[in-house]
Amino acid sequence: MPRFSTDCTGDGQSLLRNGADTAMTIEEIVSLLVQLEPEDRDELEEVVSALELQAEERKADGSGPAVPALLKSAATKLRTVLAPDGAAHGPMLISAAARLVRAATESDRAAEESPESTPDSAATSESTPPPAAEAARDSESPDEDGVSDSSDEPADPPDAEASSDEPFIQVEPGDELVEEFVGEVREYCEGAEGALLELEENPEDREAIDTVFRAFHTVKGVAAMVELDAVSKFAHLAEHLLDRMRSGKIRCVGGYADLALQSSDMLKELGEAVSAALRGEKAEAPEGYYQLRSILEDPEAHGVGAHARSGLSDGRSQPARAARPKKATSAEDGQWIRMRSERLDQLIDMVGELVIAHAMVREDAAIAKGGREAQRKVTHVSKIVRELQDLSMGLRMVPFRATFKKLQRVVRDVAQRQGKSVEFVTVGDDTEIDRNMVESLADPLIHMVRNSVDHGVETPERREERGKHPIGRVQIAAYNSGGNVVVELSDDGGGLDRNRLVDKAVKNGVITADRARTITDAEAFQLVFEAGLSTAEKVSDVSGRGVGMDVVRSNVAALGGRIDIASELGEGTTFTINLPLTLAITDGMLVRVGQERYLIPTTDIQSSLRPEPSMLTTVSSRGELLTLRGAPIPLFRLSRLFEVEGAIDDSSQALAVVVGDGEGQCALLVDELLDQQQVVIKSLGDGIGTILGLSGGAILADGRVGLIVDTAGLLTLARQTPAVTA
């Protein structure tokens, strides 16, 4: 059995368990650690005292360095938990401490069971500490002053020709501790990237330097704790670079700034490699990993300096200037918890089912027969359910801040590559949107920002020739408008050449010459979304091939949004994206057409009226028109578009619902307006697929399905349907 003293507290008193007269054994300490939480401070302090005393006793009895090192390392981790800011990583550190104590018992047991060592073997053992002791030293926590207790000299990078027989990263698939680490790596690297972009603007910003240093330092420490040596050692090299910046030996400019940003990128890629290993896949070293490690070991030897970017970047201009992010609000300083996104989605789905079930109960005839008391109780429950639904939907809402920070980096890199100076400004980055939507919107925004910098903003020389400031400006803003979220991306570049766009479209067969003579400016600008159509003067490695903007429009449309363009030649361009707040619920007007019922999103409805015969006209080749406030707009019958029988045929006896966005309008002819409802959106399923003019369905209060109208798709469908113009 392992040898442990009964006097474990260091003050002559025994550490008791459950009021007994005997001290805890080391196995019981391990068992206790498994049950402890960061809030159990008294118990943690007792365990720390016991571990530290045992480490001293084992060191004094000359039984070898391994066990004392492991016990001291475990005690250090627990002291970190007890620190004022240690609770954030408390569970991970407690688990790591428990593993180290287990390793100590195993090492002690192995030493007792092994035969007596020969002098030679003892010498070998003394010069080569056991792996457990090595692990303990690798996972040492930082000193109280925040500086790592590792040597100031960076570790040697591994041989680039390392054997491919051993996996680059080895983890146990499904390890929850490592999964949590991967999420933290992403967060720390995103914060570090934003701070590094600020440092290029103000290299003396001590707070930003400390933010990056802490990010690299924390990743290093936690990676060592979960035994991810490749990540820990790389983070140590990156931390060493930032430590030189903290001490004033170098400044975060030029090649040093590039190197720090590339280090942050590499840590994110290492996190993805760990994530792949957790899924049971073979984790390969990210491309450029060993080369970057070699550069970090001695940047100056590789030509990196304040003004030199040898081997790192071909940028020759001033970096893009990133807008300083706003200080965190009090809401961000509150308590946070981590949870799997799948659980959150399941919660929201169940709340949606609750809303549907409640609507069925509310409309049940038995409730109406129950009198005023029953209806009062149902009304009270309705209020609670609505608040619960709003609260659950709010859980999935995230601000644009993280997405906008990624765009800062995109602007910086593209500006350097193209020899341009660009100021990037963000407005409304605290505006919130559904998490699933912001993830789907990230790629389209990145592509649009690249285009704005690449062939929107001019070079400094061209801007000065045109009387502009040599530093261009790209701004992205997000705000709420009428139940929607609006994202505006604008630049003060050269703008879109309308005539050139139209000529290119005619040449590529996108539109006819006759159509080119009557096309409006708004319609001409929409041509940039046609596949293969580009007005870039030359093809670059960033854009100019006419590929991507068509995908941008498709992605935005898939989110239930639309994208508009306003541009003035020589002055700049503005892209405006209108999106629903969420894809999970919608407020809709329930309408009847024949015996069928449809939901029209209330955000699309401008007005409704019963048209008089004098307001209706039929024009050859254009179909029916409704004159509204002196202007004719197209009139479409839902009964003809969806082939519904039994609908009202006399337009003056039906109702016209005017939908649109102000620039484009149309009227939908329906039989009756039934009710306004908030419904849970359901997809039509793979069996039905996508139907033009419909965006999904919803289960109504009576259990039947109501189809949700897609007004943008209806305009396209109406133009394709002969029955409309018959």
Side-chain angles (χ1 to χ4, degrees):
M1 287 290 295
R3 301 164 306 198
F4 291 96
S5 168
T6 58
D7 184 10
C8 297
T9 61
D11 59 0
Q13 298 179 3
S14 295
L15 179 66
L16 302 180
R17 62 179 190 279
N18 301 326
D21 294 331
T22 57
M24 287 193 300
T25 65
I26 197 65
E27 288 84 358
E28 289 169 331
I29 291 178
V30 173
S31 300
L32 181 60
L33 283 174
V34 173
Q35 303 173 47
L36 290 180
E37 299 291 339
E39 295 78 16
D40 302 324
R41 301 183 64 85
D42 292 342
E43 291 84 353
L44 287 172
E45 288 176 354
E46 290 181 347
V47 173
V48 168
S49 299
L51 289 172
E52 288 179 340
L53 183 61
Q54 288 297 332
E56 291 299 324
E57 290 184 352
R58 300 310 301 276
K59 185 177 180 180
D61 69 13
S63 58
V67 172
L70 288 166
L71 296 177
K72 284 191 69 175
S73 181
T76 302
K77 292 188 184 303
L78 296 180
R79 284 206 178 278
T80 303
V81 178
L82 293 169
D85 57 348
H89 303 293
M92 296 178 67
L93 292 169
I94 293 173
S95 297
R99 288 208 303 268
L100 289 169
V101 177
R102 286 196 199 99
T105 61
E106 293 170 1
S107 180
D108 190 61
R109 186 179 295 111
E112 289 189 345
E113 293 175 354
S114 62
E116 290 296 325
S117 301
T118 63
D120 290 341
S121 64
T124 303
S125 173
E126 204 171 323
S127 61
T128 308
E134 289 288 343
R137 286 199 295 272
D138 287 343
S139 59
E140 285 295 322
S141 298
D143 294 334
E144 291 182 1
D145 61 1
V147 180
S148 172
D149 58 1
S150 304
S151 170
D152 287 339
E153 294 299 322
D156 293 332
D159 184 5
E161 303 297 330
S163 172
S164 59
D165 294 337
E166 290 189 12
F168 176 67
I169 288 176
Q170 298 186 58
V171 296
E172 189 71 26
D175 189 321
E176 292 186 2
L177 202 62
V178 179
E179 285 180 356
E180 186 174 346
F181 165 73
V182 171
E184 289 192 347
V185 168
R186 295 192 188 104
E187 290 183 11
Y188 280 120
C189 288
E190 286 175 3
E193 186 174 284
L196 286 169
L197 292 172
E198 289 184 51
L199 280 172
E200 282 195 309
E201 182 84 4
N202 178 16
E204 309 304 326
D205 189 337
R206 179 71 184 192
E207 183 180 347
I209 293 176
D210 289 342
T211 296
V212 184
F213 179 85
R214 282 195 299 268
F216 291 165
H217 181 82
T218 303
V219 171
K220 181 196 77 169
V222 180
M225 182 184 70
V226 295
E227 300 176 0
L228 295 172
D229 291 343
V231 182
S232 176
K233 291 175 181 177
F234 183 89
H236 174 58
L237 291 170
E239 175 196 37
H240 184 71
L241 177 70
L242 264 295
D243 191 45
R244 294 177 66 194
M245 294 180 185
R246 287 208 315 170
S247 62
K249 296 177 182 177
I250 60 175
R251 300 172 76 232
C252 188
V253 295
Y256 293 127
D258 288 339
L259 187 57
L261 282 166
Q262 290 191 352
S263 298
S264 177
D265 290 343
M266 183 57 68
L267 283 174
K268 284 190 282 189
E269 292 186 41
L270 288 169
E272 295 304 317
V274 174
S275 183
L278 285 169
R279 296 191 299 268
E281 303 171 9
K282 183 179 179 181
E284 304 286 352
E287 183 179 355
Y289 169 78
Y290 294 113
Q291 179 187 8
L292 191 55
R293 281 198 60 175
S294 178
I295 295 173
L296 281 169
E297 183 186 25
D298 192 349
E300 291 75 16
H302 290 81
V304 178
H307 304 288
R309 290 188 166 99
S310 175
L312 290 173
S313 171
D314 59 357
R316 298 178 299 280
S317 67
Q318 301 177 30
R321 299 188 177 187
R324 294 180 65 86
K326 299 176 181 177
K327 294 294 183 183
T329 61
S330 58
E332 291 179 335
D333 296 331
Q335 296 288 330
W336 292 83
I337 63 170
R338 292 179 181 274
M339 66 180 300
R340 291 180 177 275
S341 60
E342 295 85 355
R343 292 182 180 177
L344 181 59
D345 291 339
Q346 289 173 0
L347 170 65
I348 294 173
D349 288 343
M350 292 307 297
V351 171
E353 296 299 328
L354 174 63
V355 171
I356 294 170
H358 173 262
M360 292 180 179
V361 172
R362 184 187 60 199
E363 299 297 327
D364 195 287
I367 299 297
K369 295 177 182 178
R372 292 187 59 185
E373 183 64 20
Q375 293 179 2
R376 186 183 65 80
K377 292 178 179 178
V378 169
T379 301
H380 180 64
V381 173
S382 298
K383 180 181 178 182
I384 295 174
V385 169
R386 182 61 182 260
E387 290 179 354
L388 177 61
Q389 185 181 26
D390 291 342
L391 179 62
S392 64
M393 292 308 306
L395 294 175
R396 206 162 67 178
M397 304 295 280
V398 296
F400 276 101
R401 185 173 296 107
T403 301
F404 285 1
K405 282 185 178 180
K406 294 177 184 177
L407 297 178
Q408 290 179 3
R409 177 67 182 279
V410 172
V411 172
R412 173 198 182 274
D413 292 347
V414 176
Q416 284 191 351
R417 205 173 304 163
Q418 301 300 317
K420 299 177 180 179
S421 297
V422 182
E423 179 185 19
F424 182 61
V425 179
T426 63
V427 178
D429 54 3
D430 55 350
T431 302
E432 293 186 331
I433 192 172
D434 191 301
R435 173 181 58 83
N436 293 338
M437 295 182 68
V438 78
E439 291 173 357
S440 301
L441 191 62
D443 287 342
L445 286 177
I446 288 173
H447 188 88
M448 293 166 65
V449 166
R450 282 176 177 162
N451 276 357
S452 292
V453 179
D454 186 27
H455 51 91
V457 176
E458 311 96 327
T459 61
E461 297 78 16
R462 180 74 64 86
R463 292 180 65 85
E464 288 181 336
E465 290 173 3
R466 295 179 174 178
K468 297 182 177 181
H469 194 284
I471 297 178
R473 179 185 176 94
V474 173
Q475 175 175 302
I476 188 165
Y479 56 90
N480 296 102
S481 176
N484 284 4
V485 173
V486 180
V487 180
E488 288 185 353
L489 174 66
S490 59
D491 64 68
D492 64 350
L496 294 175
D497 189 331
R498 175 197 183 282
N499 295 331
R500 185 171 180 177
L501 264 173
V502 173
D503 292 343
K504 193 74 175 285
V506 172
K507 181 180 178 181
N508 288 11
V510 177
I511 61 174
T512 64
D514 291 339
R515 173 62 177 152
R517 286 190 287 270
T518 60
I519 194 170
T520 65
D521 288 349
E523 292 171 332
F525 294 146
Q526 290 288 322
L527 292 172
V528 300
F529 296 116
E530 297 295 333
L533 191 64
S534 175
T535 59
E537 296 179 0
K538 62 180 181 179
V539 174
S540 70
D541 60 342
V542 178
S543 57
R545 295 178 174 82
V547 178
M549 290 302 285
D550 57 323
V551 178
V552 168
R553 182 171 62 178
S554 299
N555 287 359
V556 171
L559 295 173
R562 68 176 188 278
I563 181 168
D564 302 315
I565 305 175
S567 183
E568 186 175 347
L569 189 61
E571 298 299 324
T573 304
T574 299
F575 291 84
T576 303
I577 301 175
N578 285 272
L579 295 163
L581 274 173
T582 176
L583 293 176
I585 61 172
T586 187
D587 284 303
M589 180 65 70
L590 185 64
V591 302
R592 180 178 63 82
V593 179
Q595 297 302 312
E596 301 296 332
R597 289 177 295 177
Y598 298 91
L599 283 157
I600 303 175
T602 54
T603 54
D604 294 338
I605 298 176
Q606 295 183 347
S607 62
S608 61
L609 68 155
R610 190 179 300 278
E612 298 178 1
S614 60
M615 302 171 64
L616 303 169
T617 56
T618 301
V619 179
S620 177
S621 77
R622 295 191 62 185
E624 292 181 284
L625 298 177
L626 172 68
T627 303
L628 184 65
R629 301 182 185 89
I633 62 173
L635 175 68
F636 303 127
R637 298 172 181 264
L638 287 184
S639 59
R640 293 182 182 176
L641 290 174
F642 297 130
E643 301 180 3
V644 178
E645 297 181 354
I648 296 175
D649 194 51
D650 185 352
S651 302
S652 62
Q653 299 300 312
L655 290 172
V657 180
V658 181
V659 297
D661 56 6
E663 295 183 7
Q665 289 180 317
C666 71
L668 305 177
L669 204 64
V670 302
D671 293 357
E672 184 183 2
L673 301 182
L674 298 177
D675 189 16
Q676 181 176 336
Q677 296 184 3
Q678 186 178 66
V679 296
V680 180
I681 301 174
K682 302 286 187 180
S683 67
L684 297 178
D686 296 335
I688 298 177
T690 301
I691 298 178
L692 194 61
L694 297 175
S695 60
I699 301 176
L700 304 177
D702 60 0
R704 295 176 60 190
V705 174
L707 298 176
I708 302 173
V709 172
D710 174 17
T711 53
L714 274 183
L715 291 172
T716 303
L717 180 62
R719 297 188 186 100
Q720 299 174 354
T721 307
V724 175
T725 59

